[in-house]
Amino acid sequence: TDLAGSRLPVFAPKKMGLAARVQPISGTEADYLGQRGTEERFTVFIAEDIEVTNEGGFVKEEVQYKVLAWRNKSRVDELMEIDVKRLR
C-alpha cells in the first residue's frame, strides 16, 4: 500500500535483469487522496525492444513505476523509450 493506504499494483515479471537508465523528466505538485505530494515522471531508456502495454509497469531498486507511453526505436543507433510515473 502507499502512504494513503491505497493498494499499489503488483506487476508479474515478464522479463528480468534488463539494463535500463531511468532519467527524471518532471515533478509537479499534486493532491492525492487529500495529501499533497509530488508526481514524478521519468523516461526509461532500454537497449532492447520489449512488449509494453499501458497496464504495465516495472520495478527498479524497489521503486514501482507505471507505464504512460512508449516509443520503439526507429533506427539502429536509438534506444527504446518508455515514459513512466513513480507510484508511491
Side-chain angles (χ1 to χ4, degrees), residues 14-85:
K14 280 190 165 183
K15 195 147 195 166
M16 298 178 72
L18 286 174
R21 180 173 148 214
V22 180
Q23 180 71 38
I25 299 300
S26 68
T28 57
E29 289 188 26
D31 286 322
Y32 181 68
L33 297 175
Q35 292 187 348
R36 195 96 172 126
T38 303
E39 180 178 282
E40 297 172 285
R41 292 178 183 248
F42 303 84
T43 297
V44 179
F45 298 93
I46 58 174
E48 68 181 88
D49 285 337
I50 60 171
E51 181 183 337
V52 181
T53 66
N54 282 339
E55 293 82 35
F58 71 96
V59 178
K60 183 172 174 65
E61 297 172 1
E62 298 183 18
V63 176
Q64 288 188 338
Y65 298 88
K66 170 82 173 103
V67 171
L68 302 173
W70 65 91
R71 291 168 294 288
N72 290 322
K73 54 187 176 182
S74 58
R75 297 188 329 238
V76 173
D77 62 339
E78 292 181 337
L79 300 174
M80 181 177 191
E81 298 178 25
I82 306 172
D83 294 332
V84 298
K85 72 176 178 179

